[in-house]
Amino acid sequence: MHIDWWTLAFQVINFLVVVWLLSRLLFRPIRSVIEEREEADRKAAEAAQAKEDAAKAIQQEYEGRIAAIADKQRQEEAELHKQMSAEREALLKKAHDEAEALLARSRAEIAAERSQTVEDLRAEIGGLASELAQKALGAPDILGPGAALAQARAHLTGLKGTDLRDLQADLAVEGAEITVVSATELPEAEQSGWQAALCDRFGNGITLGFATDPALIGGAELRFPHAVLRFSVAARLAQAVTDLKG
Amino acid sequence: MMEADPLAVEILFHIGPVPIARQVVTTWVIMAVMVIFLRVFLRNPARDAGPVQAALEIVVMAIVSQLREVLNRDPWRYVPLLGSLFLFLAIANLSAILPGVQSPTGHIETPAALALIVFFSVHFYGFSVRGVGPYLRHYVQPTPFLLPLNLLSEITRIFSLMIRLFGNMMSHEFIIAILLLLAGLLLPIPFLLLGVLIGLIQAYIFTILASVYIAAAVGAAEV
């Protein structure tokens, strides 16, 4: 194999020149461009990172503010709740005290009114009792001996018209009688008085009977078959109660 | 045209007593084309790359990436030599497909020149990165008895690097020439396409082997 050393030397030199040329014209410029691009990318990434950090800082600050506001709001709510509870407790206590006072006052007033009412009732009852007593017992027209007979005689004498005819029709029935009822048994003389008075008014054909009823207290009643003429204390009291009721 | 002696150097002219061979002239033309191309399309490289600059960046970054994998370190220190080696070999090998152009690598002088440069570069980088002592010490490792074999392998691997490139490119040119003589113009076209593939593969193999030798020389010390 023959080697041309001149050519070999030329090719060595040529390739070294090629290395120098490509290094200067290709590799170095492209490397600088790539490094410049990487530097720009790095700077852009750093800028982006800085912006991201700033955004994170802003976000953290915002979240911190939000948290602080939330804490403050919670504290204010708790304080308000506490204040409202205290006010409610105070209002409740005040209302309770007022209610207690009102209740006590009402109780006192009720007690006073009750006492007054009792006093008034007592006075009124006393008055009523006095009035009833006056009406029942203070009427000598029916309590005295023969008083009831005299009052009955006067009443019978005054009967006229329809009332008298009704009584006469009542006595006209077969077997009809007039019963004189008194609280205690009447003496003979008083019974004769009753018979005379009744015969005077209704004729001698009447049938007359006598009976006692302690409930009458005093006085007497004339019991027809379908009517009663009352001249007793019990009737007078009943009338008085009716009058009082108004 | 095929030469009578395929290994003979075709002298085109002389500069004084110095003969200028055809492959030297072809290399000059390739260099001129490269310079003109780069001066035209990469005069002011910008961050916003145009199509040609982008293509060149892709090529360069592919070379850088490949060297990073082989060297396992920052490759930019070795890119001028190894990148130029790949690009020059690729262009020189592919120049053979042009009519009337003989690839410089089809003659023994060009692969020999490149192999010599790789040989000295390996030791240059070994010395510069590891230091003279540690670098020379690796020849006697793991045992001093291996020193002759290590020295022999230094020579043989460079020799094989040269012969591989020369043999492939020369044989390819021979095949094309023989086919042209026997079969006419059209039949060699698939072989020309195959030549493109062979040219690129040989450029890649030569560069990768040179990278492996340099990587072995600089070791794993540099980060």
Side-chain angles (χ1 to χ4, degrees):
Chain A
M1 179 185 293
H2 171 72
I3 295 178
D4 184 71
W5 298 104
W6 280 110
T7 303
L8 177 64
F10 268 117
Q11 290 301 73
V12 169
I13 294 169
N14 285 341
F15 182 71
L16 291 177
V17 173
V18 166
V19 171
W20 179 77
L21 285 174
L22 288 183
S23 175
R24 185 170 178 274
L25 298 178
L26 178 64
F27 298 121
R28 221 180 288 172
I30 286 187
R31 182 181 183 184
S32 65
V33 165
I34 289 171
E35 287 179 348
E36 185 182 349
R37 196 177 294 148
E38 288 176 349
E39 179 67 16
D41 291 344
R42 189 183 60 77
K43 285 181 178 177
E46 287 178 355
Q49 184 65 39
K51 286 184 178 179
E52 185 180 352
D53 293 341
K56 284 182 179 176
I58 291 172
Q59 185 180 5
Q60 287 180 350
E61 183 184 356
Y62 172 75
E63 290 175 351
R65 285 185 182 178
I66 292 291
I69 289 171
D71 287 342
K72 187 179 179 183
Q73 188 176 2
R74 277 195 294 274
Q75 289 177 356
E76 287 178 354
E77 286 179 355
E79 187 67 26
L80 187 62
H81 184 71
K82 188 177 176 183
Q83 189 176 351
M84 288 176 66
S85 297
E87 287 181 1
R88 186 182 63 186
E89 291 295 328
L91 286 174
L92 283 174
K93 188 173 184 307
K94 183 180 177 183
H96 186 264
D97 292 344
E98 287 179 354
E100 286 287 335
L102 183 62
L103 186 61
R105 195 164 58 245
S106 297
R107 281 175 178 167
E109 287 178 358
I110 287 170
E113 285 181 2
R114 188 176 66 181
S115 300
Q116 183 64 38
T117 303
V118 168
E119 289 297 324
D120 292 345
L121 285 174
R122 280 178 180 166
E124 191 172 351
I125 288 169
L128 288 173
S130 175
E131 188 177 350
L132 285 173
Q134 277 185 353
K135 285 189 177 181
L137 303 175
D141 53 338
I142 57 174
L143 290 177
L149 175 58
Q151 192 177 13
R153 189 186 296 274
H155 181 77
L156 291 172
T157 305
L159 277 177
K160 291 180 180 175
T162 306
D163 293 337
L164 180 60
R165 281 194 297 274
D166 288 344
L167 290 175
Q168 288 172 344
D170 204 10
L171 291 172
V173 177
E174 182 75 22
E177 70 171 9
I178 300 173
T179 306
V180 179
V181 181
S182 61
T184 58
E185 192 173 351
L186 294 174
E188 194 70 27
E190 197 164 344
Q191 287 184 1
S192 300
W194 278 102
Q195 186 163 11
L198 291 170
C199 288
D200 287 345
R201 191 60 182 160
F202 299 108
N204 293 328
I206 62 169
T207 305
L208 186 60
F210 292 93
T212 59
D213 183 1
L216 296 182
I217 304 172
E221 288 182 356
L222 289 177
R223 296 180 180 177
F224 293 85
H226 297 96
V228 178
L229 296 178
R230 305 179 192 281
F231 309 103
S232 64
V233 173
R236 189 68 60 84
L237 286 174
Q239 184 60 42
V241 170
T242 303
D243 292 343
L244 288 173
K245 286 181 179 176
Chain B
M1 292 295 291
M2 191 180 74
E3 300 171 3
D5 181 1
L7 300 180
V9 174
E10 183 184 0
I11 304 298
L12 292 183
F13 58 91
H14 287 75
I15 299 177
V18 179
I20 304 299
R22 174 185 287 271
Q23 55 190 302
V24 173
V25 175
T26 306
T27 302
W28 287 345
V29 172
I30 290 172
M31 290 166 61
V33 170
M34 289 168 65
V35 168
I36 292 169
F37 179 83
L38 293 175
R39 293 295 291 178
V40 170
F41 291 105
L42 205 64
R43 173 180 290 273
N44 293 311
R47 258 169 42 187
D48 297 329
V52 177
Q53 182 185 332
L56 289 172
E57 285 184 15
I58 289 171
V59 171
V60 170
M61 290 314 294
I63 293 171
V64 169
S65 172
Q66 192 69 43
L67 292 179
R68 181 179 283 113
E69 288 185 12
V70 174
L71 298 168
N72 197 24
R73 69 192 61 220
D74 181 18
W76 279 108
R77 181 179 181 183
Y78 311 96
V79 164
L81 173 67
L82 298 172
S84 299
L85 196 59
F86 175 77
L87 291 177
F88 175 75
L89 280 173
I91 295 170
N93 292 344
L94 295 179
S95 66
I97 65 173
L98 297 175
V101 177
Q102 292 180 359
S103 169
T105 53
H107 293 79
I108 189 67
E109 286 80 6
T110 304
L114 298 179
L116 274 176
I117 289 172
V118 170
F119 176 79
F120 287 109
S121 298
V122 167
H123 300 304
F124 169 75
Y125 285 123
F127 287 137
S128 63
V129 172
R130 300 173 69 177
V132 176
Y135 178 70
L136 290 178
R137 206 172 295 127
H138 92 279
Y139 284 108
V140 294
Q141 287 173 346
T143 168
F145 294 110
L146 292 177
L147 176 62
L149 289 177
N150 286 334
L151 293 176
L152 187 62
S153 74
E154 288 289 329
I155 297 170
T156 55
R157 71 184 186 184
I158 294 301
F159 190 76
S160 72
L161 198 64
M162 172 185 70
I163 293 299
R164 183 186 300 109
L165 177 62
F166 166 65
N168 276 283
M169 298 313 298
M170 182 200 67
S171 62
H172 177 68
E173 288 191 1
F174 267 74
I175 290 172
I176 297 295
I178 291 169
L179 285 174
L180 276 174
L181 287 174
L182 296 179
L185 287 173
L186 295 179
L187 189 62
I189 290 176
F191 290 90
L192 286 173
L193 296 176
L194 180 64
V196 173
L197 184 63
I198 291 173
L200 291 176
I201 289 175
Q202 289 305 315
Y204 177 77
I205 289 174
F206 196 100
T207 308
I208 287 298
L209 286 175
S211 306
V212 171
Y213 299 156
I214 290 174
V218 299
E222 186 184 352
V223 177

